[in-house]
Amino acid sequence: IDELKVSTATPVGFPAAACSPAAPAAKYPSVRLTGFFQADSGWFSQSDANRLAVGIGVIEDGDVQDGSDFRRARLAAVGDVWDNVSYMLEMDFAFPGRPSFMDVWLDIDVLDGDSHLRIGQYRQPVGMDGLTSVKDMTFLERGLPFAFLPFRQIGAMWYGVNRTQDITWAISGFRFPTDVYANNVGDNGGYAMAARLTGLMVDAKDGGAILHVGASYSYLDPANDQIQIRNQPEVFVGENGLASLGPAGVPSFVPPFVDTGQVATEHVNLLGAELAGVLGAFHWQTEALFANVDQKGGPSLVFPGAYVQAGYFLTGETRPYNRSAGVLGRIKPNCSVGKEGGIGAWELAVRYSTIDLNDKNIQGNRLNNVTGGVNWYMNPFTKFQFNYIHAMLDSPAYGSSNADIVAMRAQLDF
Amino acid sequence: IDELKVSTATPVGFPAAACSPAAPAAKYPSVRLTGFFQADSGWFSQSDANRLAVGIGVIEDGDVQDGSDFRRARLAAVGDVWDNVSYMLEMDFAFPGRPSFMDVWLDIDVLDGDSHLRIGQYRQPVGMDGLTSVKDMTFLERGLPFAFLPFRQIGAMWYGVNRTQDITWAISGFRFPTDVYANNVGDNGGYAMAARLTGLMVDAKDGGAILHVGASYSYLDPANDQIQIRNQPEVFVGENGLASLGPAGVPSFVPPFVDTGQVATEHVNLLGAELAGVLGAFHWQTEALFANVDQKGGPSLVFPGAYVQAGYFLTGETRPYNRSAGVLGRIKPNCSVGKEGGIGAWELAVRYSTIDLNDKNIQGNRLNNVTGGVNWYMNPFTKFQFNYIHAMLDSPAYGSSNADIVAMRAQLDF
Amino acid sequence: IDELKVSTATPVGFPAAACSPAAPAAKYPSVRLTGFFQADSGWFSQSDANRLAVGIGVIEDGDVQDGSDFRRARLAAVGDVWDNVSYMLEMDFAFPGRPSFMDVWLDIDVLDGDSHLRIGQYRQPVGMDGLTSVKDMTFLERGLPFAFLPFRQIGAMWYGVNRTQDITWAISGFRFPTDVYANNVGDNGGYAMAARLTGLMVDAKDGGAILHVGASYSYLDPANDQIQIRNQPEVFVGENGLASLGPAGVPSFVPPFVDTGQVATEHVNLLGAELAGVLGAFHWQTEALFANVDQKGGPSLVFPGAYVQAGYFLTGETRPYNRSAGVLGRIKPNCSVGKEGGIGAWELAVRYSTIDLNDKNIQGNRLNNVTGGVNWYMNPFTKFQFNYIHAMLDSPAYGSSNADIVAMRAQLDF
């Protein structure tokens, strides 16, 4: 039994660590419950030509139905488990995965906390629109080029910001394509990477005048040797589950207006450029994205997309810039509705958005959207959004056609 | 750049709001995690005639199996995001939606807080039984006429209570029928409304003697031009998922004893009347509901249902009345089990319940249930319930038959 | 109305309880949000003979794919609702049930708190490995004999520990087999029981030297008169949902290496024996399990399984013993990474594991695994695990073959 004592006192392999005064372990783990939901309604006005093109030759299949739904409903646990390790475990209950994995990661401070290593599922670092919180979006949905983004995938990312907080960078390796439960398998490929670099070029008037530039690159080698790029017309109302109670013979969900179908490919290259600015109550941002698909058994394909959008606060707020993430941030009304006696923040917004999924043998349609928006922020955590969308579809097979869409949202987060 | 300064200082469109001293924003958002579960067991004794009627001509299909299950298991986040805005985000993990959307809404105080605007999914204001919290029910399940209720649907409701808190009112517009994920689509209808008015006629002896009356009305125009009314015999034990491990050839869930099947309809009118009272340790309530279905391609249909139930606390508790909701409330034992040294609250209860889904061309069966119950409330948050149900089924096709059911529940909420 | 007063004051049936001074009811219910996730990656090297055996004659069906996934991701609410009642409501979002019911129970102190009555779904008291928290496992997965355990089922359990906390006991009755949503039905059987008894034989050096023995017994009468025993080679990477995006023609999940298929049976007897010890930085445990299947229409079957495993902490930690559960507990690094300036805890581990599902007419294969592991505990709540598994498969139909597997895990709990 003497061996025992020795064994306990001087372990083999490592010298005894000189441990600093005990950290306040009682603090850890910390946990905070957070979440949000978005209740949407949409009304659709389509020409028969539009129904025919969206339904790929069957009018009924393209007859988008009015409706109300929960677009997103999420609960998350966030916190710290140690002085240098934080986490998030977020589930969405409104997406078809029911629930779907959202941000599920742990984050370790490296190099004195100026940079971080993130492991798990997270939004891959491509584009400004994709990295803007879905709670802070100016419109109901991200612009059409969002269709190109890998978005949430399972992997590991090293990212950070410089000391003066005007340059952000991120580089990530991940499995692709990750399913809605954050899983991916496949022996033949299935690996991908993404990187983004942004700079704050102008920062004057205490955030009242900023200019942001950024660029992203991603290389995708899909495990199933396939890629599908598609998107709805910036509105997604529907009954997206097994249990649709909607009418028969028509879609229970907004079908894609642009869709490449499954394209056989060994790898895809994505390139993105972004530019954004704030000038008092005015803010704007624009991005262009290109997907270069190395098609198997066919020619190489290039699909472009772009958008430009702007917003103006009638009530005088200035949209803040999130210096650690390199995106435009969240609005806090100057004077909220309630005991403060205010009217909240009112914003007018406009966007032009385009995506072209026609190239060579692929006829995935081209879509141009013009959207007008009115946003009412009752308080920092409650907002109502109204969008009018004019969608101009160009189908090689079924010709040009239009759809007009009115949609609104009630959003609350906590 | 001088323009900038001007732009920031004097926004166009609205005068600068005169904001009251800052609200204690640090308080918001608040969040509390809450939830509950119900673990049930049931044992069924049926005649072959009953199995034949329930199985619609196939004895095996109507052979209800004994079993144990979780009837409900819910987690919810509730709180306030501002001084005049509250919310709930609740998911149920035991319902077939897995998870299913329950109460997911935001609530805005209007008109000095005496009334509220609720947006999202919530229980539509029809009937006393449906609006009583499922945690506070006297029996395992609501009475048979519950089959008529629209219950949780997505919409907006204005509701309130008068200053003396003896009249409650609610009026709601919503999409119908909402699926288990709180979504609905459909161009042809899909809109509905509901309203309820209640009054506290007698309120004496500090709540020891109350008399409540109420009435409800609902108009339903289903998006799919169909309605199906059905119900189990006030017990729901089963494996209601994709992954049933139960025996083959028999139902994995209690099948409906009454069921109209899908009835084509343009609209349905519901009418409900309610009456309830408390007299010391004794409480009772009764409701009648009528569904008037405007059948397409067939005659107009009327389906009635009603129940009367009563409970008596052997341990002397008085069931409280919830003045803001117009329903009977939750029991707190006079003396809980544990350090208080009590035996909790013991309640005897009895219910008669009826629903008739036979009318003209629809043969949905008629069911009369007599239920006896014993409830043991260990403490305010833990209770055990025992029900004996005698179900008397009257099938036009398969004759009269009986089933005897014993069921029990362990419930805990937090 | 005088009757009323009387009725309230002197309830019939029970004398007025002499209630002790009010418990601090404001304390209850308490709730704490807790959870964890495990992000895994695996790489597989198989011979064609192994693919053939695993794929039951089809090489492609046995070609296990590399991949990354979330093995487990859980949220739970835990707390107390009264001075003698606690609860847990836990959901897993990574299991196929999506979400699946995990520990969902209420727990009542009985007999002065030395023993407890648990009602709901919980891990049945069989074996040390199965009752060790999945967060505290030395390897990525439990040993191969885990395949025999009933594990989580819905029922009621009486369990406790003696006053000197060196003997634990548990006896449980439950429905079987419970589906992923904690439900079970079936008239013909469906009842089962399990019991476990453990003793702490040696406890010296303040926990630095312990010896544990234990035994378990379980009787299972499956509701569906079937039992299937199977297991993967101690690694489970895959896309286990409806929405697999993996390559076609190969499994999207690690298929079982051993599998009896469905065996018709009236009842099954399980026997388990366990032995474990700690000696300074060294810990070890071993178990043997036997399943005796009373086959219908065939001979009685016996399937054995066993494992022995050991771990050694290079950094000198001693693995604690959980005296109330009778299992080895959780490691807290002597000096965590971060402000404490440590390197965390580093552990080397090795396991030999075996299961034989060949008996008489059943050819379920035999599997022997040798696993080497390196564990790095950054802090008490974050760990990284590396496993190398050499799986030796013996298939009566397809011969002997090997697979080599490298797998790693990032785990965070809160």
Side-chain angles (χ1 to χ4, degrees), chain A residues 1 12 19-20 101 179 181 183-187 191 224, chain C residues 65-70 93 98 205 239 245 314 335 340:
Chain A
I1 295 204
V12 178
C19 211
S20 298
F101 278 59
D179 69 16
Y181 310 119
N183 304 324
N184 173 268
V185 300
D187 281 354
Y191 294 93
N224 54 5
Chain C
Q65 303 290 298
D66 302 342
S68 297
D69 74 1
F70 281 90
F93 297 94
R98 302 194 176 288
K205 307 281 178 189
E239 300 190 42
L245 301 175
L314 299 173
C335 200
E340 287 186 7

PDB file of all heavy atoms in Angstrom, chain A residues 1 12 19-20 101 179 181 183-187 191 224, chain C residues 65-70 93 98 205 239 245 314 335 340:
ATOM      1  N   ILE A   1       0.837  -1.204   0.000  1.00  0.00           N
ATOM      2  CA  ILE A   1       0.000   0.000   0.000  1.00  0.00           C
ATOM      3  C   ILE A   1       0.876   1.260   0.000  1.00  0.00           C
ATOM      4  O   ILE A   1       0.442   2.345  -0.352  1.00  0.00           O
ATOM      5  CB  ILE A   1      -0.983  -0.022   1.200  1.00  0.00           C
ATOM      6  CG1 ILE A   1      -1.957  -1.212   1.009  1.00  0.00           C
ATOM      7  CG2 ILE A   1      -1.761   1.270   1.322  1.00  0.00           C
ATOM      8  CD1 ILE A   1      -3.273  -1.121   1.694  1.00  0.00           C
ATOM      9  N   VAL A  12       3.629   9.568 -12.803  1.00  0.00           N
ATOM     10  CA  VAL A  12       4.588   9.381 -13.874  1.00  0.00           C
ATOM     11  C   VAL A  12       4.163  10.221 -15.071  1.00  0.00           C
ATOM     12  O   VAL A  12       2.991  10.425 -15.308  1.00  0.00           O
ATOM     13  CB  VAL A  12       4.646   7.890 -14.268  1.00  0.00           C
ATOM     14  CG1 VAL A  12       5.617   7.684 -15.430  1.00  0.00           C
ATOM     15  CG2 VAL A  12       5.057   7.055 -13.070  1.00  0.00           C
ATOM     16  N   CYS A  19       0.035  25.136  -9.917  1.00  0.00           N
ATOM     17  CA  CYS A  19      -1.293  25.659 -10.197  1.00  0.00           C
ATOM     18  C   CYS A  19      -1.474  27.026  -9.549  1.00  0.00           C
ATOM     19  O   CYS A  19      -1.167  27.203  -8.375  1.00  0.00           O
ATOM     20  CB  CYS A  19      -2.343  24.677  -9.676  1.00  0.00           C
ATOM     21  SG  CYS A  19      -3.847  24.693 -10.637  1.00  0.00           S
ATOM     22  N   SER A  20      -1.973  27.971 -10.304  1.00  0.00           N
ATOM     23  CA  SER A  20      -2.238  29.304  -9.770  1.00  0.00           C
ATOM     24  C   SER A  20      -3.372  29.215  -8.758  1.00  0.00           C
ATOM     25  O   SER A  20      -4.123  28.253  -8.742  1.00  0.00           O
ATOM     26  CB  SER A  20      -2.627  30.254 -10.904  1.00  0.00           C
ATOM     27  OG  SER A  20      -1.558  30.367 -11.808  1.00  0.00           O
ATOM     28  N   PHE A 101     -30.452  21.395 -35.771  1.00  0.00           N
ATOM     29  CA  PHE A 101     -29.283  21.943 -35.085  1.00  0.00           C
ATOM     30  C   PHE A 101     -28.927  23.309 -35.666  1.00  0.00           C
ATOM     31  O   PHE A 101     -28.792  23.452 -36.882  1.00  0.00           O
ATOM     32  CB  PHE A 101     -28.079  21.006 -35.266  1.00  0.00           C
ATOM     33  CG  PHE A 101     -28.072  19.856 -34.316  1.00  0.00           C
ATOM     34  CD1 PHE A 101     -29.112  18.963 -34.287  1.00  0.00           C
ATOM     35  CD2 PHE A 101     -27.011  19.669 -33.444  1.00  0.00           C
ATOM     36  CE1 PHE A 101     -29.106  17.878 -33.400  1.00  0.00           C
ATOM     37  CE2 PHE A 101     -26.998  18.592 -32.552  1.00  0.00           C
ATOM     38  CZ  PHE A 101     -28.037  17.697 -32.533  1.00  0.00           C
ATOM     39  N   ASP A 179     -26.010  17.706 -42.703  1.00  0.00           N
ATOM     40  CA  ASP A 179     -27.472  17.645 -42.725  1.00  0.00           C
ATOM     41  C   ASP A 179     -28.070  18.533 -41.618  1.00  0.00           C
ATOM     42  O   ASP A 179     -27.344  19.204 -40.893  1.00  0.00           O
ATOM     43  CB  ASP A 179     -27.960  16.183 -42.659  1.00  0.00           C
ATOM     44  CG  ASP A 179     -27.700  15.523 -41.311  1.00  0.00           C
ATOM     45  OD1 ASP A 179     -27.431  16.222 -40.313  1.00  0.00           O
ATOM     46  OD2 ASP A 179     -27.759  14.280 -41.246  1.00  0.00           O
ATOM     47  N   TYR A 181     -29.155  17.908 -38.915  1.00  0.00           N
ATOM     48  CA  TYR A 181     -28.776  17.506 -37.567  1.00  0.00           C
ATOM     49  C   TYR A 181     -27.273  17.628 -37.356  1.00  0.00           C
ATOM     50  O   TYR A 181     -26.710  17.060 -36.417  1.00  0.00           O
ATOM     51  CB  TYR A 181     -29.247  16.074 -37.293  1.00  0.00           C
ATOM     52  CG  TYR A 181     -30.700  15.871 -37.630  1.00  0.00           C
ATOM     53  CD1 TYR A 181     -31.107  14.951 -38.587  1.00  0.00           C
ATOM     54  CD2 TYR A 181     -31.681  16.633 -37.005  1.00  0.00           C
ATOM     55  CE1 TYR A 181     -32.444  14.777 -38.911  1.00  0.00           C
ATOM     56  CE2 TYR A 181     -33.019  16.480 -37.336  1.00  0.00           C
ATOM     57  CZ  TYR A 181     -33.391  15.542 -38.275  1.00  0.00           C
ATOM     58  OH  TYR A 181     -34.719  15.394 -38.590  1.00  0.00           O
ATOM     59  N   ASN A 183     -24.695  16.531 -39.123  1.00  0.00           N
ATOM     60  CA  ASN A 183     -23.916  15.328 -39.371  1.00  0.00           C
ATOM     61  C   ASN A 183     -23.495  15.278 -40.834  1.00  0.00           C
ATOM     62  O   ASN A 183     -24.188  15.786 -41.708  1.00  0.00           O
ATOM     63  CB  ASN A 183     -24.755  14.079 -39.082  1.00  0.00           C
ATOM     64  CG  ASN A 183     -25.319  14.073 -37.683  1.00  0.00           C
ATOM     65  OD1 ASN A 183     -24.662  14.525 -36.751  1.00  0.00           O
ATOM     66  ND2 ASN A 183     -26.540  13.594 -37.530  1.00  0.00           N
ATOM     67  N   ASN A 184     -22.393  14.635 -41.096  1.00  0.00           N
ATOM     68  CA  ASN A 184     -21.983  14.358 -42.475  1.00  0.00           C
ATOM     69  C   ASN A 184     -21.120  13.119 -42.509  1.00  0.00           C
ATOM     70  O   ASN A 184     -20.233  12.949 -41.675  1.00  0.00           O
ATOM     71  CB  ASN A 184     -21.191  15.529 -43.063  1.00  0.00           C
ATOM     72  CG  ASN A 184     -20.612  15.166 -44.431  1.00  0.00           C
ATOM     73  OD1 ASN A 184     -19.482  14.698 -44.533  1.00  0.00           O
ATOM     74  ND2 ASN A 184     -21.409  15.327 -45.466  1.00  0.00           N
ATOM     75  N   VAL A 185     -21.370  12.264 -43.495  1.00  0.00           N
ATOM     76  CA  VAL A 185     -20.487  11.122 -43.723  1.00  0.00           C
ATOM     77  C   VAL A 185     -20.155  11.023 -45.202  1.00  0.00           C
ATOM     78  O   VAL A 185     -20.867  11.574 -46.056  1.00  0.00           O
ATOM     79  CB  VAL A 185     -21.105   9.784 -43.265  1.00  0.00           C
ATOM     80  CG1 VAL A 185     -21.410   9.792 -41.785  1.00  0.00           C
ATOM     81  CG2 VAL A 185     -22.342   9.441 -44.074  1.00  0.00           C
ATOM     82  N   GLY A 186     -19.095  10.304 -45.492  1.00  0.00           N
ATOM     83  CA  GLY A 186     -18.701  10.092 -46.882  1.00  0.00           C
ATOM     84  C   GLY A 186     -17.200   9.916 -46.983  1.00  0.00           C
ATOM     85  O   GLY A 186     -16.444  10.699 -46.410  1.00  0.00           O
ATOM     86  N   ASP A 187     -16.796   8.865 -47.700  1.00  0.00           N
ATOM     87  CA  ASP A 187     -15.371   8.589 -47.836  1.00  0.00           C
ATOM     88  C   ASP A 187     -14.738   9.375 -48.969  1.00  0.00           C
ATOM     89  O   ASP A 187     -13.543   9.662 -48.946  1.00  0.00           O
ATOM     90  CB  ASP A 187     -15.171   7.093 -48.133  1.00  0.00           C
ATOM     91  CG  ASP A 187     -15.287   6.258 -46.876  1.00  0.00           C
ATOM     92  OD1 ASP A 187     -15.406   6.845 -45.784  1.00  0.00           O
ATOM     93  OD2 ASP A 187     -15.264   5.019 -46.992  1.00  0.00           O
ATOM     94  N   TYR A 191     -14.957  17.192 -47.544  1.00  0.00           N
ATOM     95  CA  TYR A 191     -14.206  18.216 -46.819  1.00  0.00           C
ATOM     96  C   TYR A 191     -14.320  19.550 -47.542  1.00  0.00           C
ATOM     97  O   TYR A 191     -14.489  19.605 -48.764  1.00  0.00           O
ATOM     98  CB  TYR A 191     -12.740  17.811 -46.682  1.00  0.00           C
ATOM     99  CG  TYR A 191     -12.571  16.583 -45.816  1.00  0.00           C
ATOM    100  CD1 TYR A 191     -12.532  15.317 -46.373  1.00  0.00           C
ATOM    101  CD2 TYR A 191     -12.505  16.711 -44.431  1.00  0.00           C
ATOM    102  CE1 TYR A 191     -12.410  14.190 -45.580  1.00  0.00           C
ATOM    103  CE2 TYR A 191     -12.388  15.584 -43.627  1.00  0.00           C
ATOM    104  CZ  TYR A 191     -12.336  14.329 -44.203  1.00  0.00           C
ATOM    105  OH  TYR A 191     -12.222  13.227 -43.406  1.00  0.00           O
ATOM    106  N   ASN A 224     -21.198  13.755 -51.280  1.00  0.00           N
ATOM    107  CA  ASN A 224     -22.065  12.991 -52.191  1.00  0.00           C
ATOM    108  C   ASN A 224     -21.841  13.383 -53.644  1.00  0.00           C
ATOM    109  O   ASN A 224     -22.624  13.004 -54.516  1.00  0.00           O
ATOM    110  CB  ASN A 224     -23.537  13.177 -51.794  1.00  0.00           C
ATOM    111  CG  ASN A 224     -23.918  14.636 -51.723  1.00  0.00           C
ATOM    112  OD1 ASN A 224     -23.102  15.508 -52.054  1.00  0.00           O
ATOM    113  ND2 ASN A 224     -25.127  14.927 -51.291  1.00  0.00           N
TER     114      ASN A 224
ATOM    115  N   GLN C  65     -18.581   4.644 -43.668  1.00  0.00           N
ATOM    116  CA  GLN C  65     -18.048   5.910 -44.165  1.00  0.00           C
ATOM    117  C   GLN C  65     -17.421   6.727 -43.036  1.00  0.00           C
ATOM    118  O   GLN C  65     -17.928   6.751 -41.913  1.00  0.00           O
ATOM    119  CB  GLN C  65     -19.183   6.722 -44.795  1.00  0.00           C
ATOM    120  CG  GLN C  65     -19.913   6.001 -45.924  1.00  0.00           C
ATOM    121  CD  GLN C  65     -19.053   5.871 -47.165  1.00  0.00           C
ATOM    122  OE1 GLN C  65     -18.656   6.861 -47.754  1.00  0.00           O
ATOM    123  NE2 GLN C  65     -18.713   4.636 -47.543  1.00  0.00           N
ATOM    124  N   ASP C  66     -16.345   7.413 -43.369  1.00  0.00           N
ATOM    125  CA  ASP C  66     -15.801   8.409 -42.450  1.00  0.00           C
ATOM    126  C   ASP C  66     -16.843   9.503 -42.254  1.00  0.00           C
ATOM    127  O   ASP C  66     -17.711   9.709 -43.107  1.00  0.00           O
ATOM    128  CB  ASP C  66     -14.541   9.055 -43.039  1.00  0.00           C
ATOM    129  CG  ASP C  66     -13.456   8.037 -43.348  1.00  0.00           C
ATOM    130  OD1 ASP C  66     -13.525   6.905 -42.812  1.00  0.00           O
ATOM    131  OD2 ASP C  66     -12.545   8.369 -44.126  1.00  0.00           O
ATOM    132  N   GLY C  67     -16.716  10.224 -41.168  1.00  0.00           N
ATOM    133  CA  GLY C  67     -17.683  11.304 -40.997  1.00  0.00           C
ATOM    134  C   GLY C  67     -17.523  12.052 -39.699  1.00  0.00           C
ATOM    135  O   GLY C  67     -16.678  11.709 -38.854  1.00  0.00           O
ATOM    136  N   SER C  68     -18.317  13.075 -39.569  1.00  0.00           N
ATOM    137  CA  SER C  68     -18.387  13.875 -38.339  1.00  0.00           C
ATOM    138  C   SER C  68     -19.844  14.040 -37.977  1.00  0.00           C
ATOM    139  O   SER C  68     -20.690  14.168 -38.862  1.00  0.00           O
ATOM    140  CB  SER C  68     -17.765  15.262 -38.562  1.00  0.00           C
ATOM    141  OG  SER C  68     -16.398  15.153 -38.861  1.00  0.00           O
ATOM    142  N   ASP C  69     -20.132  14.037 -36.695  1.00  0.00           N
ATOM    143  CA  ASP C  69     -21.517  14.216 -36.289  1.00  0.00           C
ATOM    144  C   ASP C  69     -21.594  14.656 -34.839  1.00  0.00           C
ATOM    145  O   ASP C  69     -20.584  14.723 -34.140  1.00  0.00           O
ATOM    146  CB  ASP C  69     -22.316  12.923 -36.493  1.00  0.00           C
ATOM    147  CG  ASP C  69     -22.010  11.832 -35.469  1.00  0.00           C
ATOM    148  OD1 ASP C  69     -21.191  12.055 -34.558  1.00  0.00           O
ATOM    149  OD2 ASP C  69     -22.595  10.749 -35.583  1.00  0.00           O
ATOM    150  N   PHE C  70     -22.790  15.008 -34.438  1.00  0.00           N
ATOM    151  CA  PHE C  70     -23.065  15.187 -33.026  1.00  0.00           C
ATOM    152  C   PHE C  70     -23.630  13.866 -32.505  1.00  0.00           C
ATOM    153  O   PHE C  70     -24.698  13.424 -32.938  1.00  0.00           O
ATOM    154  CB  PHE C  70     -24.037  16.335 -32.782  1.00  0.00           C
ATOM    155  CG  PHE C  70     -23.369  17.670 -32.853  1.00  0.00           C
ATOM    156  CD1 PHE C  70     -23.279  18.352 -34.060  1.00  0.00           C
ATOM    157  CD2 PHE C  70     -22.796  18.231 -31.731  1.00  0.00           C
ATOM    158  CE1 PHE C  70     -22.641  19.574 -34.132  1.00  0.00           C
ATOM    159  CE2 PHE C  70     -22.149  19.448 -31.789  1.00  0.00           C
ATOM    160  CZ  PHE C  70     -22.069  20.122 -32.999  1.00  0.00           C
ATOM    161  N   PHE C  93     -31.238  15.713 -28.672  1.00  0.00           N
ATOM    162  CA  PHE C  93     -31.571  16.190 -30.011  1.00  0.00           C
ATOM    163  C   PHE C  93     -30.748  15.512 -31.102  1.00  0.00           C
ATOM    164  O   PHE C  93     -30.976  15.757 -32.279  1.00  0.00           O
ATOM    165  CB  PHE C  93     -31.379  17.706 -30.070  1.00  0.00           C
ATOM    166  CG  PHE C  93     -32.291  18.449 -29.155  1.00  0.00           C
ATOM    167  CD1 PHE C  93     -31.886  18.818 -27.880  1.00  0.00           C
ATOM    168  CD2 PHE C  93     -33.583  18.741 -29.543  1.00  0.00           C
ATOM    169  CE1 PHE C  93     -32.752  19.476 -27.013  1.00  0.00           C
ATOM    170  CE2 PHE C  93     -34.453  19.399 -28.697  1.00  0.00           C
ATOM    171  CZ  PHE C  93     -34.036  19.768 -27.425  1.00  0.00           C
ATOM    172  N   ARG C  98     -35.213  12.450 -32.151  1.00  0.00           N
ATOM    173  CA  ARG C  98     -35.177  13.859 -32.599  1.00  0.00           C
ATOM    174  C   ARG C  98     -36.404  14.647 -32.206  1.00  0.00           C
ATOM    175  O   ARG C  98     -37.194  15.006 -33.078  1.00  0.00           O
ATOM    176  CB  ARG C  98     -34.964  13.904 -34.101  1.00  0.00           C
ATOM    177  CG  ARG C  98     -33.685  13.203 -34.522  1.00  0.00           C
ATOM    178  CD  ARG C  98     -33.305  13.531 -35.910  1.00  0.00           C
ATOM    179  NE  ARG C  98     -32.029  12.940 -36.272  1.00  0.00           N
ATOM    180  CZ  ARG C  98     -30.841  13.352 -35.808  1.00  0.00           C
ATOM    181  NH1 ARG C  98     -30.763  14.352 -34.995  1.00  0.00           N
ATOM    182  NH2 ARG C  98     -29.728  12.759 -36.178  1.00  0.00           N
ATOM    183  N   LYS C 205      -7.132   5.307   2.056  1.00  0.00           N
ATOM    184  CA  LYS C 205      -6.370   6.438   1.518  1.00  0.00           C
ATOM    185  C   LYS C 205      -7.288   7.550   1.015  1.00  0.00           C
ATOM    186  O   LYS C 205      -7.044   8.138  -0.050  1.00  0.00           O
ATOM    187  CB  LYS C 205      -5.464   5.968   0.356  1.00  0.00           C
ATOM    188  CG  LYS C 205      -4.549   4.800   0.685  1.00  0.00           C
ATOM    189  CD  LYS C 205      -3.347   5.280   1.451  1.00  0.00           C
ATOM    190  CE  LYS C 205      -2.456   4.098   1.826  1.00  0.00           C
ATOM    191  NZ  LYS C 205      -1.402   4.525   2.749  1.00  0.00           N
ATOM    192  N   GLU C 239     -25.103   9.847 -40.111  1.00  0.00           N
ATOM    193  CA  GLU C 239     -26.231  10.765 -40.310  1.00  0.00           C
ATOM    194  C   GLU C 239     -27.491   9.978 -40.010  1.00  0.00           C
ATOM    195  O   GLU C 239     -28.080   9.375 -40.898  1.00  0.00           O
ATOM    196  CB  GLU C 239     -26.257  11.286 -41.745  1.00  0.00           C
ATOM    197  CG  GLU C 239     -25.009  12.041 -42.155  1.00  0.00           C
ATOM    198  CD  GLU C 239     -25.186  12.739 -43.503  1.00  0.00           C
ATOM    199  OE1 GLU C 239     -26.245  13.321 -43.734  1.00  0.00           O
ATOM    200  OE2 GLU C 239     -24.252  12.697 -44.306  1.00  0.00           O
ATOM    201  N   LEU C 245     -27.598  13.537 -46.186  1.00  0.00           N
ATOM    202  CA  LEU C 245     -27.055  14.111 -47.415  1.00  0.00           C
ATOM    203  C   LEU C 245     -25.816  13.355 -47.863  1.00  0.00           C
ATOM    204  O   LEU C 245     -25.090  13.815 -48.731  1.00  0.00           O
ATOM    205  CB  LEU C 245     -26.708  15.591 -47.187  1.00  0.00           C
ATOM    206  CG  LEU C 245     -27.848  16.498 -46.762  1.00  0.00           C
ATOM    207  CD1 LEU C 245     -27.343  17.888 -46.454  1.00  0.00           C
ATOM    208  CD2 LEU C 245     -28.894  16.560 -47.863  1.00  0.00           C
ATOM    209  N   LEU C 314      -1.812  10.589 -16.230  1.00  0.00           N
ATOM    210  CA  LEU C 314      -0.421  11.060 -16.288  1.00  0.00           C
ATOM    211  C   LEU C 314      -0.222  12.277 -15.398  1.00  0.00           C
ATOM    212  O   LEU C 314       0.872  12.534 -14.917  1.00  0.00           O
ATOM    213  CB  LEU C 314      -0.057  11.412 -17.732  1.00  0.00           C
ATOM    214  CG  LEU C 314      -0.133  10.247 -18.729  1.00  0.00           C
ATOM    215  CD1 LEU C 314       0.079  10.755 -20.145  1.00  0.00           C
ATOM    216  CD2 LEU C 314       0.927   9.201 -18.376  1.00  0.00           C
ATOM    217  N   CYS C 335      -5.242  20.886 -12.251  1.00  0.00           N
ATOM    218  CA  CYS C 335      -4.917  22.248 -12.656  1.00  0.00           C
ATOM    219  C   CYS C 335      -5.406  22.445 -14.091  1.00  0.00           C
ATOM    220  O   CYS C 335      -4.830  21.874 -15.032  1.00  0.00           O
ATOM    221  CB  CYS C 335      -3.398  22.455 -12.557  1.00  0.00           C
ATOM    222  SG  CYS C 335      -2.923  24.178 -12.479  1.00  0.00           S
ATOM    223  N   GLU C 340      -5.630  29.218 -14.291  1.00  0.00           N
ATOM    224  CA  GLU C 340      -4.908  28.382 -13.339  1.00  0.00           C
ATOM    225  C   GLU C 340      -3.539  27.998 -13.859  1.00  0.00           C
ATOM    226  O   GLU C 340      -2.691  27.519 -13.097  1.00  0.00           O
ATOM    227  CB  GLU C 340      -5.708  27.095 -13.037  1.00  0.00           C
ATOM    228  CG  GLU C 340      -6.931  27.343 -12.157  1.00  0.00           C
ATOM    229  CD  GLU C 340      -7.631  26.034 -11.752  1.00  0.00           C
ATOM    230  OE1 GLU C 340      -7.081  24.956 -12.042  1.00  0.00           O
ATOM    231  OE2 GLU C 340      -8.698  26.107 -11.145  1.00  0.00           O
TER     232      GLU C 340
END
